[in-house]
Amino acid sequence: MDTNMFCFQCEQTAGCSGCTGKAGVCGKSAQTAQIQDQLTGALIGLAHAANGSLPEGQPIEKVMIESLFATLTNVNFDDDALKALLARVHEKKAELVPGCGSCMSSCGHNDDYDMMRIWEADEDIRSLKSLILFGIRGMAAYAYHAMVLGYENAEVNQFFSKALFALGEDWDMELLLPIVMEVGKYNLLCMELLDKANTESYGTPVPTTVPLAVEKGPFIVVTGHDLKDLQLLLEQTEGKGVNIYTHGEMLPAHGYPELKKYAHLKGNFGTAWQNQQKEFASIPAPILFTTNCLMPPKASYADRVFTTGEVAFPGTVHIDEEKDFTPVIEKALELGGYTEDQAFTGINGGSTVMTGFSHGTVLSVADQVINAVKSGAIRHFFLVAGCDGARPGRNYYTDFVKQTPDDTIILTLACGKYRFNDLDLGTIGGLPRIMDMGQCNDAYGAIKVAVALSEAFGCDVNELPLSMVLSWYEQKAVCILLTLLHLGIKNIRLGPSLPAFLSPNVLNYLVENFGIAPITTPEEDLKELLK
């Protein structure tokens, strides 16, 4: 196996062009990156064996979703776990085309796809195929979370196979571009599915103030996005003297009635995912990772890291699909937690944050919002949302929010909000100026609010006093962006840098047709957006 890698799927890729050495910026080794490429190539081969469809009686969507999710940035660093997924893909393929592997004919049904054909392709083809691949990886994460709650969508599952099939074809830009836009279409269905799964399982989120302090005694920090894992952990810790604290994208769980009813779900620990190696270094408690974003654990806390689902890291304890969290609970009791209550703050010094402003909550006061706009009390809405990361330049989002005028509302979601969600910007007409709508998948909620407002005012979404200022890091941000483009939303500001996988021609297409622009400075962008 080659000792080098090629990967440019995340925002922090080396030199803004691609990680090509022995390890990626995320900590993924060249060997792990190559196994992930083999897994992706096998998925493309599986889709070709199925002729880009989902065969009846031989379900392949589950292994497709799980494998795509495992190749997302900061999810799976464990070569053995990835090889096990690779074996499952090959098993499914053998079931579809029995005996085909022994045939020497190059019909396309007996081969795994060589991913170098994409990485070394014409830059425009590589760019479009990257948008498709990274988009369906992000979409697979949402489909996975819905799937574990018992919710699936046949159209979404069918599209995974169609998109993987397209990646293995020698199609030109004219054929690939519609597939790119379809990623956005089907990701919208997928986010709608997950929204339904979450709200039907746990209720409609309600505005909730969440403390950032940690009480004395044993506790567990749970991070990621998987609400089912949190539910099971809460059930298994009830009455055992172990408190639960969310971290990162798990923060919005505090707004769900069926989760907030647990008295030992106490608060939120820490800030955004990229600060975990510092924040987890000395806490006397275990950390449970349910999804991305896992960074390679430092020696100071590696023995306190537990993973579950598709998340894995060599040497850490993995909780299998039986979801028995006893090892995590025992570790919490062994460590004992803090001997005294601890006061922590957000990056701006705030001691609490708010969450729970779902589309159901916001639309329940739609008349209040509409009247505030008509009266001039609310001049503009900003959706300042997306992934956080460590690259310099992300302070832009903090500065942008701080400089927004007092007669504007900031809607936010995903982990980018940790740059500013502990700020107190006051209220407008009884509404807080910062409203956290939830996780990254809750972009669906922001879309619902925008569509409702456009209908109320009898205008196109692009004519609303609404601007989108987004930050991106990994592949879920890619599929959300493609969903916004599918809906025809224009003039999005994107940063802190543009994706390395966008070729000049593809970027020009997005600029000319959708007005996508890179962020500049908070002052200049605010001046332009408030014209």
Side-chain angles (χ1 to χ4, degrees), residues 40-55 60 64 89 92-93 96 108-109 111-113 136 158-169:
T40 305
L43 287 172
I44 295 172
L46 177 61
H48 274 76
N51 291 313
S53 185
L54 292 180
I60 60 175
M64 282 185 169
V89 173
K92 285 297 180 183
K93 187 175 179 182
L96 287 179
H109 282 210
D111 301 323
D112 289 348
Y113 185 79
I136 62 173
Q158 189 71 249
F159 181 71
F160 282 119
S161 189
K162 177 181 178 179
L164 286 164
F165 181 89
L167 290 172
E169 292 295 287

Side-chain angles (χ1 to χ4, degrees), residues 7-24:
C7 183
F8 62 173
Q9 70 176 5
C10 82
E11 187 266 335
Q12 291 183 171
T13 191
C16 294
S17 59
C19 296
T20 57
K22 298 185 183 301

Side-chain angles (χ1 to χ4, degrees), residues 195-208 252-260 355-364:
D195 178 80
K196 180 180 180 181
N198 287 339
T199 55
E200 290 188 353
S201 299
Y202 304 114
T204 298
V206 296
T208 303
H254 290 274
Y256 287 92
E258 290 302 308
L259 297 175
K260 66 190 282 96
T355 190
F357 291 92
S358 67
H359 63 88
T361 295
V362 175
L363 293 179
S364 71

Side-chain angles (χ1 to χ4, degrees), residues 170-303:
D170 294 325
W171 290 352
D172 60 16
M173 292 183 67
E174 188 174 348
L175 291 173
L176 287 172
L177 192 55
I179 305 294
V180 171
M181 300 309 294
E182 279 192 314
V183 174
K185 171 185 175 181
Y186 287 100
N187 184 61
L188 180 62
L189 289 179
C190 193
M191 289 194 298
E192 181 181 24
L193 176 72
L194 182 53
D195 178 80
K196 180 180 180 181
N198 287 339
T199 55
E200 290 188 353
S201 299
Y202 304 114
T204 298
V206 296
T208 303
T209 299
V210 183
L212 302 180
V214 176
E215 297 180 12
K216 66 180 180 180
F219 68 99
I220 296 169
V221 173
V222 57
T223 189
H225 306 71
D226 201 292
L227 299 181
K228 181 66 174 180
D229 284 333
L230 175 60
Q231 174 203 339
L232 295 173
L233 182 64
L234 287 167
E235 290 174 351
Q236 293 177 37
T237 50
E238 193 167 25
K240 294 185 177 178
V242 177
N243 289 330
I244 305 300
Y245 292 85
T246 57
H247 172 269
E249 282 275 68
M250 198 63 83
L251 166 64
H254 290 274
Y256 287 92
E258 290 302 308
L259 297 175
K260 66 190 282 96
K261 71 181 183 181
Y262 290 93
H264 62 301
L265 178 60
K266 291 291 186 177
N268 191 72
F269 172 81
T271 53
W273 69 271
Q274 76 276 0
N275 300 321
Q276 65 188 257
Q277 290 180 327
K278 178 181 178 181
E279 293 178 345
F280 292 163
S282 59
I283 62 171
I287 307 101
L288 175 64
F289 284 85
T290 67
T291 61
N292 61 316
C293 292
L294 168 68
M295 297 176 74
K298 290 187 176 294
S300 60
Y301 66 92
D303 65 332

Side-chain angles (χ1 to χ4, degrees), residues 470-520:
L470 308 181
S471 56
W472 82 284
Y473 176 76
E474 40 85 355
Q475 297 78 68
K476 284 183 280 188
V478 175
C479 63
I480 290 171
L481 177 63
L482 293 178
T483 292
L484 296 175
L485 300 186
H486 158 71
L487 292 170
I489 294 174
K490 298 183 178 181
N491 302 318
I492 296 168
R493 294 294 195 276
L494 184 64
S497 60
L498 294 178
F501 50 80
L502 291 181
S503 68
N505 286 335
V506 172
L507 178 59
N508 286 340
Y509 173 86
L510 296 178
V511 171
E512 291 173 4
N513 288 274
F514 299 100
I516 285 182
I519 58 172
T520 59

Side-chain angles (χ1 to χ4, degrees), residues 147-471:
M147 184 171 64
V148 298
L149 288 172
Y151 291 72
E152 295 189 56
N153 181 302
E155 289 183 78
V156 170
N157 291 343
Q158 189 71 249
F159 181 71
F160 282 119
S161 189
K162 177 181 178 179
L164 286 164
F165 181 89
L167 290 172
E169 292 295 287
D170 294 325
W171 290 352
D172 60 16
M173 292 183 67
E174 188 174 348
L175 291 173
L176 287 172
L177 192 55
I179 305 294
V180 171
M181 300 309 294
E182 279 192 314
V183 174
K185 171 185 175 181
Y186 287 100
N187 184 61
L188 180 62
L189 289 179
C190 193
M191 289 194 298
E192 181 181 24
L193 176 72
L194 182 53
D195 178 80
K196 180 180 180 181
N198 287 339
T199 55
E200 290 188 353
S201 299
Y202 304 114
T204 298
V206 296
T208 303
T209 299
V210 183
L212 302 180
V214 176
E215 297 180 12
K216 66 180 180 180
F219 68 99
I220 296 169
V221 173
V222 57
T223 189
H225 306 71
D226 201 292
L227 299 181
K228 181 66 174 180
D229 284 333
L230 175 60
Q231 174 203 339
L232 295 173
L233 182 64
L234 287 167
E235 290 174 351
Q236 293 177 37
T237 50
E238 193 167 25
K240 294 185 177 178
V242 177
N243 289 330
I244 305 300
Y245 292 85
T246 57
H247 172 269
E249 282 275 68
M250 198 63 83
L251 166 64
H254 290 274
Y256 287 92
E258 290 302 308
L259 297 175
K260 66 190 282 96
K261 71 181 183 181
Y262 290 93
H264 62 301
L265 178 60
K266 291 291 186 177
N268 191 72
F269 172 81
T271 53
W273 69 271
Q274 76 276 0
N275 300 321
Q276 65 188 257
Q277 290 180 327
K278 178 181 178 181
E279 293 178 345
F280 292 163
S282 59
I283 62 171
I287 307 101
L288 175 64
F289 284 85
T290 67
T291 61
N292 61 316
C293 292
L294 168 68
M295 297 176 74
K298 290 187 176 294
S300 60
Y301 66 92
D303 65 332
R304 293 184 275 115
V305 168
F306 295 80
T307 61
T308 192
E310 295 311 315
V311 191
F313 193 89
T316 62
V317 177
H318 186 77
I319 306 299
D320 63 21
E321 59 187 19
E322 296 299 319
K323 300 296 183 180
D324 180 357
F325 293 115
T326 299
V328 192
I329 298 168
E330 290 177 343
K331 177 62 74 171
L333 292 170
E334 173 195 330
L335 292 169
Y338 293 110
T339 57
E340 300 292 338
D341 293 351
Q342 301 292 309
F344 295 103
T345 65
I347 66 170
N348 300 291
S351 59
T352 63
V353 293
M354 285 196 75
T355 190
F357 291 92
S358 67
H359 63 88
T361 295
V362 175
L363 293 179
S364 71
V365 293
D367 290 345
Q368 184 179 343
V369 173
I370 292 166
N371 289 335
V373 173
K374 289 181 176 178
S375 70
I378 297 176
R379 177 171 39 144
H380 205 86
F381 296 88
F382 294 101
L383 177 64
V384 186
C387 314
D388 205 358
R391 188 186 294 279
R394 288 183 178 268
N395 287 339
Y396 164 95
Y397 297 93
T398 310
D399 296 338
F400 183 95
V401 169
K402 285 181 177 179
Q403 293 180 40
T404 53
D406 291 342
D407 56 357
T408 61
I409 292 281
I410 295 91
L411 303 174
T412 190
L413 49 87
C415 61
K417 62 176 168 273
Y418 281 99
R419 294 275 170 175
F420 51 81
N421 68 336
D422 64 320
L423 289 170
D424 182 4
L425 298 186
T427 62
I428 299 178
L431 299 171
R433 285 195 54 225
I434 297 180
M435 289 191 261
D436 175 17
M437 302 193 73
Q439 298 179 343
C440 52
N441 54 281
D442 291 312
Y444 173 75
I447 291 167
K448 289 274 287 184
V449 169
V451 170
L453 289 175
S454 69
E455 290 174 351
F457 289 109
C459 66
D460 183 84
V461 170
N462 292 305
E463 296 172 326
L464 287 171
L466 168 67
S467 300
M468 298 190 180
V469 183
L470 308 181
S471 56

